[in-house]
Every structure is written in structure tokens, then in C-alpha cells.
Amino acid sequence: MSEDYVILTEDMTKVYKMGAVEVHALRGVSIKIERGEVVAIMGPSGSGKSTLMNMLGCLDRPSGGRYLLDGEVVENLTDDQLADIRNRKVGFVFQSFNLLPRATALSNVELPLRYSGIHEGRKELARQALESVGLGDRMTHRPTELSGGQQQRVAIARALVNDPAIVMADEPTGNLDSKVGKEIMELLLTLNRERGTTLIIITHDPVVASQTRRTIQLYDGLVTNEVHNGNGKKGQA
């Protein structure tokens, strides 16, 4: 049943037109991701994994096929409707953190709440999110006053503050050393276990992918393989 899945795509395609040339970035991708699941998406450069992330995260719409996000049909939405479902349903964590440099950690985490039009209790929700990632004592610090690992924790708090259906993490350990990267992965998996948030990790690192329940492998815009990694539904070994 479709309601069992937070993400369901059927023959999803994406074609970019560059003048007279058509680039087929996705060639018919059909995937199902259960609620609370931790999934890695892997593939070489040009495989379509960034395009797939954009489609799943409602940053763009497919050229064809079907996409249901948390039960809502996505493929025919307008730009405003895409923005609305993105704000409500998706949290993003990026390799480069994407924090506002002049804003405090608290203000950065508040941003999704501002975009969603939430006023009452906004600072308290942001404070709780920062405490959940271990940064209760860094709320007034700006990004330049934080380490790389701390900045990524702020980004994770920002992704979680709206209580989204899914969190998409694009190379979340890519700019961090191995020790800090391990800590960030442990944090993401712990938050997944505690909150039940579906976690999708875009990565080229097989060590990161091995910690997920399942790895979806892309090549030339197609799913070529799915590997079950032996971990529990919510990141439990």
C-alpha cells in the first residue's frame, strides 16, 4: 500500500533541455522508502543522484512518472506548491553546511520556521532542536565561531526543527575529518532512532552507506542495484 511508504516513485524521469540537446538525467526511477527507514543513494559523478535528490526533496519536479511524498502527489505541483510541501515535509543537510554567516546558531535554526509562517514558540522550538544535537551552550555563536562539526550540528538542528517527514543529507560528512564525520553519522542515526524521521543520505563513501539499512545504486539515471546492509529499519544494527 502506498501509505506504507514516505517516498514512492514510479518510472520517474528528468530531462534537461540544453538548446537542441536533451539530457536524460533520470531514465525511469522506481523506488519505495518506508517511514523511519535509513537509506543511502550512491553513484558515480553523472549517475543522476543529485538530480534524484532534487526531485525527492521537491527542489524540482520530474519530467514524467509519478512521485508521492508522505502520501501527497508531487509531480504536477506549481513552484509555490513545491515550496510549501518542501517547507513542511523535507529537511536538508548539506556538505557545505549552508549557514548564514552573520546569524547566530539560534537564528539559523529558526529559518525554516520563519519560512513556514510559524511565529508563536519559534525560538523555543529552535532552542530545543539545538539542544537535541548537543549545542545548547552555543546558541548565540555565529558559524565563524564554531568548528566544522558544530556547524554541521547546527545544520542538522535546522533540518529537524520543522519535524519533517524526511531529512535529506547530501554528503553530510564530506567536509569533516574522519573522527568528526563518524560523530555526525552517529548523531544522525541516533536522531533517527529517537524521532523516527526517515533519513536519506547521498554519499560516495561506502563506509557511510554501510551504516544505513539499504543502499540504492544509480548509474546513468537508472537504479542498477539495491544492497540491504543488515541494519535495522531505524538505523539499529
Side-chain angles (χ1 to χ4, degrees):
M1 299 290 291
S2 62
E3 59 266 23
D4 296 332
Y5 302 101
V6 71
I7 285 177
L8 174 64
T9 75
E10 296 176 349
D11 295 322
M12 190 166 66
T13 63
K14 183 62 180 178
V15 180
Y16 295 103
K17 293 187 177 180
M18 304 175 66
V21 177
E22 290 188 345
V23 178
H24 293 260
L26 298 178
R27 299 172 179 269
V29 172
S30 298
I31 60 174
K32 297 175 180 179
I33 297 177
E34 296 179 19
R35 300 179 190 281
E37 195 175 6
V38 183
V39 175
I41 295 176
M42 294 189 71
S45 178
S47 63
K49 62 182 185 295
S50 293
T51 300
L52 180 57
M53 184 194 78
N54 289 342
M55 300 301 111
L56 299 181
C58 297
L59 293 168
D60 198 356
R61 65 176 61 78
S63 301
R66 194 161 184 247
Y67 177 28
L68 274 72
L69 170 58
D70 202 23
E72 294 190 49
V73 178
V74 172
E75 65 266 17
N76 296 320
L77 296 182
T78 66
D79 288 346
D80 287 345
Q81 289 170 328
L82 274 180
D84 176 66
I85 194 172
R86 186 168 64 242
N87 287 338
R88 290 186 292 110
K89 301 287 189 181
V90 187
F92 291 96
V93 179
F94 296 101
Q95 178 178 350
S96 55
F97 317 137
N98 286 10
L99 302 177
L100 297 179
R102 296 184 179 181
T104 64
L106 189 68
S107 294
N108 269 288
V109 175
E110 280 187 77
L111 279 177
L113 300 173
R114 289 179 182 271
Y115 295 149
S116 296
I118 295 172
H119 300 285
E120 186 175 350
R122 191 168 63 201
K123 286 189 181 298
E124 177 62 18
L125 289 170
R127 183 188 65 78
Q128 292 174 5
L130 281 167
E131 287 181 344
S132 75
V133 299
L135 288 180
D137 59 344
R138 293 289 188 272
M139 295 189 192
T140 61
H141 289 61
R142 291 176 172 78
T144 54
E145 300 169 319
L146 300 172
S147 68
Q150 289 171 334
Q151 290 183 62
Q152 193 61 295
R153 286 173 182 266
V154 173
I156 292 169
R158 181 182 59 191
L160 292 170
V161 73
N162 258 349
D163 195 24
I166 62 171
V167 168
M168 304 204 68
D170 186 13
E171 301 284 3
T173 63
N175 278 346
L176 306 172
D177 64 44
S178 58
K179 179 178 180 296
V180 176
K182 182 179 179 182
E183 292 173 356
I184 291 299
M185 275 302 300
E186 289 174 351
L187 173 63
L188 287 168
L189 294 173
T190 297
L191 291 169
N192 164 264
R193 285 194 295 269
E194 292 176 349
R195 300 171 67 120
T197 305
T198 307
L199 178 60
I200 301 172
I201 300 175
I202 314 298
T203 185
H204 70 281
D205 187 343
V207 174
V208 170
S210 69
Q211 298 174 68
T212 68
R213 183 191 187 200
R214 181 163 53 106
T215 301
I216 297 171
Q217 297 178 340
L218 288 183
Y219 190 80
D220 283 349
L222 290 167
V223 175
T224 58
N225 195 20
E226 292 193 24
V227 178
H228 290 265
N229 298 316
N231 299 314
K233 178 179 176 181
K234 296 184 179 179
Q236 295 173 329

